[in-house]
Amino acid sequence: MTTRLLREQTYFMPFNQGSNGAGNVGGKGNPPNPNGYQTSYLWEQALQKDSLLEILHKYMHLQIEERVDFKTKARDIKETMIFPRYHQLDAVTKLLKAVKADGPGHNYLIQHSAGSGKSNSIAWLAHRLSGLHDAQDNKIFNSIIVVTDRRVLDSQLQDTVYQFDHIEGVVKKIDKDSAQLRDAINANTPIIISTLQKFPVIFNTVNGNNKSFAVIVDEAHSSQHGNAAKKLKEALADTEDILAEYAKMENEAENSIPDEDEKIVNELAAQGQQKNLSFLAFTATPKEKTLQMFGTKGGDGKYRAFHIYSMRQAIEEKFILDVLQNYMTYNMYYKIIKNIPDDPTLDTDRGIRAIKKYQTLHPHNIAQKTEIMIEHFRENTMRQIGGKAKAMVVTASRLHAVRYCREFRKQITRKGYTDMSALVAFSDEIKDGKETYTEENLNKTSKGETIKQDQLRSYFHTDDYNVLIVAEKYQTGFDEPYLHTMFVDKNLSGVKAVQTLSRLNRTIQGKTNTFILDFVNTAEDMKKSFEPYYEAAVLEEETDPNVLYQLKNTLDSYRVYSNNEVQRFADLYYTLDEKNAVGLSAQGILAQVLNPAIDRYKALDTDTSDILSADIFSKTLSRFVRIYSFVTQVYRMFDKDLHKFSQYAKFLLKFLPTKDADRVSVDDKILMEYYRLEKSFDGSIALKSTETGFSPIKGEAGAKKEKKETLSKIIDDVNKRFGTNFTEQDKILEQMQNDFVKDPKWSGFAASNDYSTFRLLAKKGFKDIAAQRYVENDSFFMRIFDDAEFGEYIMDRFIERLYGKLKEEYTETPGGFGAGMAAEQD
């Protein structure tokens, strides 16, 4: 193996505070200084002897990056000396000052944009906290635990933290099993790096009493109020004082809590803020729950981040690119017709979703969009970044990803585009007809070798591949700097939209812009999604914990369960071992206790006064489970009965039967008659600061009343929404295609000839059939015969598609072929 050592000069970043001062909302530059130069902070603060020595000693470090070429096996090692940017130095300095003043037991939210150098900020913070002492020179924290939610430990993060100090025993990477984590915590290892998912395994084998911990959260979001996060707190919390408080409330000695209540009380004690745990959470996109869990409450009652490096500032300082600068959207129009004589009654919402799914998976829709994406990539993207630019296709499901992958490869091969190659990424497996697809059986090298899932990032980085088709994968945490273009064929909103589109914003030499083509969302949709995070996210007011009791009262009114059943479940839940004496799993025993409630739930749909009560009940139950998990991370409820019900509700939700109405399929009942794509927006989406923050969580029931309508009525509603004034020509080309398909000689010609030979034969046939249709559709065909350029264009595009249709086996019902021609003429 060949190894090359690539050294770069010290990496000095722009050292600006920001237009409103470091850590505040604003853009690039520095705030006005009434007492001198705007840049005087540089020599008055940063370059003072003590400050400069601290930067040299505790911040500057040699960053080592290694990359292996999969084809040549050559190994490149790049060494770069890193100097902190001002916002990084400012954030760490202010956090150290606050923690030293506050002591353990406080939370801090750091809203730093993508491109802020988060891994380095976390590494500097972890090492500085590990040596932080209070005014009495006592160490404040026993251990600093850096937690990531990714199931595989983030290699960039762990390598960065680990590189800062090579002294044996200072940093422990938990990269094998949970026993490593248990031993590291019990041994008071100064810095521990772990995934969140390891805590549920060891939470009852770690003793947090008389210890203090700082937990640095990499990418704080919804998982921080899930089960794994609760187990982290149970493992680390010092609950002695809380248990004493509870015993006092119950008027009993702390050591006399009944055994059957001990587990419940320990779980209650771990709720809310803990006096020995400080959380320092990093994210670019804090949602309302994240703001309340980790944010700072101001005098106005609003929650904000402790420190901010905004998206606006990162863009203006050119550390990331503005992904909304070049945005194009398409409107999709289509008309659906019923293909069966009867007219079944369906749930309206599910029927509409089923029609949309049918349309988005229709081979014509896939083929039309694929052609637009391929041609745009070739005409625009391929020339970017010195010819190294890549694209990502974001799809709505694994099935969509598979079909797009097959269509991309089919069109690339048919058109002879040897300089294009696509990979696909999705989890698990998916069936399409009789075939079962996985990521690995679809991704092969040019030599036919399988590309493993853990190799896909590296292969995509090479020059051999330039398109990546994804379904719920690589939409977060994927940093490929050559990614320039994104094609979106999926509904995106809120944080998901920001995280997905931000895959494009990484900078590299030669990359000056990005491009997004969106088939589904509007420019206004994206504006609404991005603006809350453009400068600073704010929570208007905190969530009232009483929303839990409101939801519980709503659920009680359905009389699906009884208090005795909830109590019996809790008794079993907190006393059962994993397996009992007769060998039945604990979950199986608990399921038997739920049967009476499940029977009553099923009976709800027979109540003619409210046929949809079951659906509302299940969604309200789901809402209760989610909100309880969040609220108890913020507040300590000390309500044993409500806690027992939360465990009961979580299990009941798992066992409630899925209604048949959830699986509406209309594929065999409808056809797509017309189809058209039209460009609707092409330009820049300008963002501005917004004063309106997030609203708190409310206690409303979890569903709206359903409607049932006939299939024909649902189709009419869909056509009104997605239809347009289709011209006769939209259907003429489809009629011509059918004229060819009905004549068996053309199928024979396609099967036995290559495309160029078939084209010569079909050009004559095209004019003959066009002449036959002329009487019925004179205006359209008059243009074909009178306008030579238009006629040649229509004929070539028509024959190309006709050949593909006759040559290959399309099992789906033909529909909308000709409408695609109309899209190209618009």
Side-chain angles (χ1 to χ4, degrees), residues 287-298:
K287 295 170 32 175
E288 58 268 41
K289 292 179 181 178
T290 306
L291 283 161
Q292 186 165 350
M293 282 182 64
F294 303 114
T296 302
K297 187 176 181 179

Side-chain angles (χ1 to χ4, degrees), residues 9-10 57 131 311 314 350 727 765:
Q9 294 181 346
T10 303
H57 182 223
M311 182 191 300
R350 294 187 181 104
T727 66

Side-chain angles (χ1 to χ4, degrees), residues 612-642:
L612 300 170
S613 292
D615 193 52
I616 298 176
F617 176 85
S618 66
K619 290 181 179 176
T620 305
L621 188 69
S622 175
R623 185 169 170 79
F624 173 87
V625 169
R626 292 196 309 273
I627 295 177
Y628 185 85
S629 181
F630 162 65
V631 167
T632 53
Q633 289 280 50
V634 180
Y635 303 100
R636 187 173 301 116
M637 302 296 289
F638 264 147
D639 187 330
K640 281 199 297 185
D641 290 335
L642 191 66

Side-chain angles (χ1 to χ4, degrees), residues 79 118 184 287 308 315 440-441 503 536 540 564:
E79 294 183 349
K118 181 181 64 174
K287 295 170 32 175
I308 295 170
I315 291 171
E440 292 188 357
N441 70 24
R503 296 311 96 212
E540 293 292 335
N564 288 337

